[in-house]
Amino acid sequence: MTFFLQLPRQAVLILLLQFTNSLGVSSLVPLMSFFIVDGLKAEPWQVGLYTALLMPLTLLSNRWAGERLDHGFAVRKLLLIPVSAFVLLSALLTQVSSLLMLIVLIAPLMSLSNMGSGTIFTFGRLYAERQALDIGRINSWLRMTVSLAWMIGPALSFTLVASFGFPVAFTCAFAIGLVYLVLWHVVVPADFRAKPRIRPEKGREPVNLGLLIGGMSCIGFVITNSLFVSAMPLYFVNETGLPGSTPGLSLSVKCLVEIFVIFASVRLAERIGTRQVLMLAACLAAVSMLLFTQVSALWQVLTISVLEGTYYGLFAGVAISFVQSFAPDRPGRATAVYMNSLFLGSMIGSVSMGFIASAADFRTVLFVAAVSSMAALATLVVTFRVQPETSQT
């Protein structure tokens, strides 16, 4: 907390910009599948049509944005794309009346909107470098604002839908978008950009093995989290017979613990190394998933949720710094790899959960989630000799 109080005003504004971006995105992304089925009266399988278009476009958008930033494109001009996309899509959602309109209009705009978080992460890193601030701690604060926003956004939007309907929830998202637009205007300097990187001759740039390893390890963590979050409500309530409030209480405990652990993760990384923190997180992830398969009471779920929040807080606090450390001269590309690993891991986890549960049961999904975290651990251990290009880790 002392570090936060010592931050320059501009750094605090960047944190606020990331929080507002994440608040807006989190108020819409989890709501879309519910809107497709309950609002547009489409079949549940048709949610996949929307996702199948959104995810590839998001991966391409993040990669494109990262390359532009690394080659000196102004942050202000680039960030205007996701800001404008979010304002426009939240306004259009109040008028969408068919699945076709959603796929044709909203999915492309949502993919552009998803560029915002990675762009702000890169903006924050570049600013920290110029001001000689602790990059790891700035990254952890930025990641904390994302976690905090995701605690608030989904709960807010689902509450509004339950009380007033989808149009009110979308209007609220539009209002958040207007605040996002104002902050973009106030926070991002017109001429702020990375030092341009010299473009290599076509086909001559070597593969950055470390960057790929960092991204692959992140995918393992995110698949674990996505599998668990997707299966958790049905597993706790239907298979285990726990109260209907159990999933919400579990998630609240996890997110609360996660925020505090994010702060501690940076200090721990300074002592034992970022890779070692991620290895610890992978072990805790596997243990928490296995323990969840044995629960039979609410107090057990809440106790294990503390462990779950600890593992995810450790991962969230240092993962982006770990990935960026393999490409210190390409923060845009490194951040794009990190963001895409989150989207890709989430997509793999949410899609595969249904197949695993159909073939076996929701308890089996948790065993697979444990295996995914152990795969992340194996990646980190086997590639231990591939060291970052900076001393951060």
Side-chain angles (χ1 to χ4, degrees), residues 213 275 279 283 374-386:
I213 291 168
R275 188 191 296 262
M279 290 166 62
C283 293
M374 293 311 295
L377 175 63
T379 301
L380 293 167
V381 172
V382 170
T383 61
F384 204 89
R385 291 189 177 182
V386 182

PDB file of all heavy atoms in Angstrom, residues 213 275 279 283 374-386:
ATOM      1  N   ILE A 213       7.388 -20.123 -24.284  1.00  0.00           N
ATOM      2  CA  ILE A 213       7.309 -20.885 -23.036  1.00  0.00           C
ATOM      3  C   ILE A 213       6.460 -20.130 -22.011  1.00  0.00           C
ATOM      4  O   ILE A 213       5.604 -20.711 -21.331  1.00  0.00           O
ATOM      5  CB  ILE A 213       8.716 -21.150 -22.485  1.00  0.00           C
ATOM      6  CG1 ILE A 213       9.456 -22.144 -23.387  1.00  0.00           C
ATOM      7  CG2 ILE A 213       8.656 -21.662 -21.050  1.00  0.00           C
ATOM      8  CD1 ILE A 213      10.929 -22.254 -23.090  1.00  0.00           C
ATOM      9  N   ARG A 275       9.873 -17.277 -11.778  1.00  0.00           N
ATOM     10  CA  ARG A 275       9.580 -18.634 -12.226  1.00  0.00           C
ATOM     11  C   ARG A 275       9.229 -19.530 -11.041  1.00  0.00           C
ATOM     12  O   ARG A 275       8.292 -20.336 -11.103  1.00  0.00           O
ATOM     13  CB  ARG A 275      10.760 -19.223 -12.996  1.00  0.00           C
ATOM     14  CG  ARG A 275      10.445 -20.570 -13.664  1.00  0.00           C
ATOM     15  CD  ARG A 275      11.717 -21.225 -14.165  1.00  0.00           C
ATOM     16  NE  ARG A 275      12.346 -20.438 -15.200  1.00  0.00           N
ATOM     17  CZ  ARG A 275      12.204 -20.670 -16.511  1.00  0.00           C
ATOM     18  NH1 ARG A 275      11.446 -21.665 -16.932  1.00  0.00           N
ATOM     19  NH2 ARG A 275      12.836 -19.922 -17.391  1.00  0.00           N
ATOM     20  N   MET A 279       5.911 -21.713 -10.226  1.00  0.00           N
ATOM     21  CA  MET A 279       5.960 -23.142  -9.912  1.00  0.00           C
ATOM     22  C   MET A 279       5.188 -23.434  -8.620  1.00  0.00           C
ATOM     23  O   MET A 279       4.450 -24.425  -8.526  1.00  0.00           O
ATOM     24  CB  MET A 279       7.416 -23.600  -9.794  1.00  0.00           C
ATOM     25  CG  MET A 279       8.148 -23.608 -11.145  1.00  0.00           C
ATOM     26  SD  MET A 279       9.952 -23.739 -10.988  1.00  0.00           S
ATOM     27  CE  MET A 279      10.099 -25.326 -10.186  1.00  0.00           C
ATOM     28  N   CYS A 283       1.668 -25.788  -8.130  1.00  0.00           N
ATOM     29  CA  CYS A 283       1.478 -26.831  -7.122  1.00  0.00           C
ATOM     30  C   CYS A 283       0.228 -26.570  -6.288  1.00  0.00           C
ATOM     31  O   CYS A 283      -0.575 -27.484  -6.029  1.00  0.00           O
ATOM     32  CB  CYS A 283       2.701 -26.908  -6.209  1.00  0.00           C
ATOM     33  SG  CYS A 283       4.212 -27.478  -7.027  1.00  0.00           S
ATOM     34  N   MET A 374      -0.522 -29.005 -13.521  1.00  0.00           N
ATOM     35  CA  MET A 374       0.734 -29.763 -13.473  1.00  0.00           C
ATOM     36  C   MET A 374       1.472 -29.689 -14.800  1.00  0.00           C
ATOM     37  O   MET A 374       2.704 -29.739 -14.834  1.00  0.00           O
ATOM     38  CB  MET A 374       0.442 -31.219 -13.101  1.00  0.00           C
ATOM     39  CG  MET A 374      -0.091 -31.413 -11.685  1.00  0.00           C
ATOM     40  SD  MET A 374       0.889 -30.556 -10.419  1.00  0.00           S
ATOM     41  CE  MET A 374       2.447 -31.443 -10.541  1.00  0.00           C
ATOM     42  N   ALA A 375       0.719 -29.560 -15.895  1.00  0.00           N
ATOM     43  CA  ALA A 375       1.357 -29.362 -17.203  1.00  0.00           C
ATOM     44  C   ALA A 375       2.077 -28.023 -17.234  1.00  0.00           C
ATOM     45  O   ALA A 375       3.185 -27.903 -17.797  1.00  0.00           O
ATOM     46  CB  ALA A 375       0.311 -29.436 -18.310  1.00  0.00           C
ATOM     47  N   ALA A 376       1.469 -27.000 -16.623  1.00  0.00           N
ATOM     48  CA  ALA A 376       2.140 -25.697 -16.529  1.00  0.00           C
ATOM     49  C   ALA A 376       3.414 -25.818 -15.703  1.00  0.00           C
ATOM     50  O   ALA A 376       4.462 -25.246 -16.052  1.00  0.00           O
ATOM     51  CB  ALA A 376       1.193 -24.671 -15.914  1.00  0.00           C
ATOM     52  N   LEU A 377       3.343 -26.577 -14.596  1.00  0.00           N
ATOM     53  CA  LEU A 377       4.527 -26.788 -13.761  1.00  0.00           C
ATOM     54  C   LEU A 377       5.618 -27.506 -14.548  1.00  0.00           C
ATOM     55  O   LEU A 377       6.798 -27.122 -14.491  1.00  0.00           O
ATOM     56  CB  LEU A 377       4.137 -27.609 -12.527  1.00  0.00           C
ATOM     57  CG  LEU A 377       5.289 -28.027 -11.611  1.00  0.00           C
ATOM     58  CD1 LEU A 377       5.968 -26.809 -11.007  1.00  0.00           C
ATOM     59  CD2 LEU A 377       4.775 -28.959 -10.501  1.00  0.00           C
ATOM     60  N   ALA A 378       5.242 -28.530 -15.300  1.00  0.00           N
ATOM     61  CA  ALA A 378       6.223 -29.283 -16.085  1.00  0.00           C
ATOM     62  C   ALA A 378       6.897 -28.380 -17.114  1.00  0.00           C
ATOM     63  O   ALA A 378       8.112 -28.470 -17.333  1.00  0.00           O
ATOM     64  CB  ALA A 378       5.534 -30.461 -16.777  1.00  0.00           C
ATOM     65  N   THR A 379       6.116 -27.500 -17.738  1.00  0.00           N
ATOM     66  CA  THR A 379       6.677 -26.565 -18.716  1.00  0.00           C
ATOM     67  C   THR A 379       7.727 -25.674 -18.074  1.00  0.00           C
ATOM     68  O   THR A 379       8.807 -25.443 -18.630  1.00  0.00           O
ATOM     69  CB  THR A 379       5.559 -25.696 -19.327  1.00  0.00           C
ATOM     70  OG1 THR A 379       4.601 -26.541 -19.967  1.00  0.00           O
ATOM     71  CG2 THR A 379       6.126 -24.710 -20.341  1.00  0.00           C
ATOM     72  N   LEU A 380       7.423 -25.182 -16.880  1.00  0.00           N
ATOM     73  CA  LEU A 380       8.354 -24.293 -16.174  1.00  0.00           C
ATOM     74  C   LEU A 380       9.610 -25.024 -15.733  1.00  0.00           C
ATOM     75  O   LEU A 380      10.715 -24.475 -15.777  1.00  0.00           O
ATOM     76  CB  LEU A 380       7.650 -23.674 -14.966  1.00  0.00           C
ATOM     77  CG  LEU A 380       6.511 -22.699 -15.287  1.00  0.00           C
ATOM     78  CD1 LEU A 380       5.686 -22.409 -14.036  1.00  0.00           C
ATOM     79  CD2 LEU A 380       7.062 -21.410 -15.869  1.00  0.00           C
ATOM     80  N   VAL A 381       9.461 -26.273 -15.300  1.00  0.00           N
ATOM     81  CA  VAL A 381      10.609 -27.044 -14.814  1.00  0.00           C
ATOM     82  C   VAL A 381      11.507 -27.480 -15.965  1.00  0.00           C
ATOM     83  O   VAL A 381      12.733 -27.309 -15.920  1.00  0.00           O
ATOM     84  CB  VAL A 381      10.127 -28.274 -14.013  1.00  0.00           C
ATOM     85  CG1 VAL A 381      11.305 -29.187 -13.686  1.00  0.00           C
ATOM     86  CG2 VAL A 381       9.427 -27.835 -12.732  1.00  0.00           C
ATOM     87  N   VAL A 382      10.909 -28.038 -17.004  1.00  0.00           N
ATOM     88  CA  VAL A 382      11.680 -28.574 -18.131  1.00  0.00           C
ATOM     89  C   VAL A 382      12.460 -27.470 -18.848  1.00  0.00           C
ATOM     90  O   VAL A 382      13.560 -27.715 -19.365  1.00  0.00           O
ATOM     91  CB  VAL A 382      10.743 -29.317 -19.109  1.00  0.00           C
ATOM     92  CG1 VAL A 382      11.475 -29.673 -20.395  1.00  0.00           C
ATOM     93  CG2 VAL A 382      10.186 -30.568 -18.453  1.00  0.00           C
ATOM     94  N   THR A 383      11.901 -26.277 -18.866  1.00  0.00           N
ATOM     95  CA  THR A 383      12.545 -25.174 -19.602  1.00  0.00           C
ATOM     96  C   THR A 383      13.305 -24.238 -18.665  1.00  0.00           C
ATOM     97  O   THR A 383      13.504 -23.069 -18.985  1.00  0.00           O
ATOM     98  CB  THR A 383      11.481 -24.371 -20.368  1.00  0.00           C
ATOM     99  OG1 THR A 383      10.545 -23.809 -19.427  1.00  0.00           O
ATOM    100  CG2 THR A 383      10.730 -25.256 -21.345  1.00  0.00           C
ATOM    101  N   PHE A 384      13.752 -24.754 -17.524  1.00  0.00           N
ATOM    102  CA  PHE A 384      14.379 -23.889 -16.512  1.00  0.00           C
ATOM    103  C   PHE A 384      15.611 -23.166 -17.053  1.00  0.00           C
ATOM    104  O   PHE A 384      15.931 -22.060 -16.628  1.00  0.00           O
ATOM    105  CB  PHE A 384      14.766 -24.722 -15.284  1.00  0.00           C
ATOM    106  CG  PHE A 384      14.876 -23.912 -14.031  1.00  0.00           C
ATOM    107  CD1 PHE A 384      13.775 -23.708 -13.221  1.00  0.00           C
ATOM    108  CD2 PHE A 384      16.088 -23.337 -13.663  1.00  0.00           C
ATOM    109  CE1 PHE A 384      13.871 -22.953 -12.056  1.00  0.00           C
ATOM    110  CE2 PHE A 384      16.187 -22.579 -12.507  1.00  0.00           C
ATOM    111  CZ  PHE A 384      15.079 -22.380 -11.696  1.00  0.00           C
ATOM    112  N   ARG A 385      16.292 -23.783 -17.983  1.00  0.00           N
ATOM    113  CA  ARG A 385      17.520 -23.165 -18.510  1.00  0.00           C
ATOM    114  C   ARG A 385      17.248 -22.020 -19.475  1.00  0.00           C
ATOM    115  O   ARG A 385      18.159 -21.261 -19.806  1.00  0.00           O
ATOM    116  CB  ARG A 385      18.372 -24.224 -19.211  1.00  0.00           C
ATOM    117  CG  ARG A 385      18.979 -25.241 -18.253  1.00  0.00           C
ATOM    118  CD  ARG A 385      19.974 -26.128 -18.972  1.00  0.00           C
ATOM    119  NE  ARG A 385      20.621 -27.066 -18.072  1.00  0.00           N
ATOM    120  CZ  ARG A 385      21.565 -27.924 -18.434  1.00  0.00           C
ATOM    121  NH1 ARG A 385      21.971 -27.963 -19.707  1.00  0.00           N
ATOM    122  NH2 ARG A 385      22.113 -28.739 -17.545  1.00  0.00           N
ATOM    123  N   VAL A 386      16.015 -21.918 -19.944  1.00  0.00           N
ATOM    124  CA  VAL A 386      15.659 -20.796 -20.823  1.00  0.00           C
ATOM    125  C   VAL A 386      15.375 -19.603 -19.930  1.00  0.00           C
ATOM    126  O   VAL A 386      14.308 -19.486 -19.339  1.00  0.00           O
ATOM    127  CB  VAL A 386      14.426 -21.128 -21.686  1.00  0.00           C
ATOM    128  CG1 VAL A 386      14.109 -19.966 -22.616  1.00  0.00           C
ATOM    129  CG2 VAL A 386      14.672 -22.395 -22.482  1.00  0.00           C
TER     130      VAL A 386
END
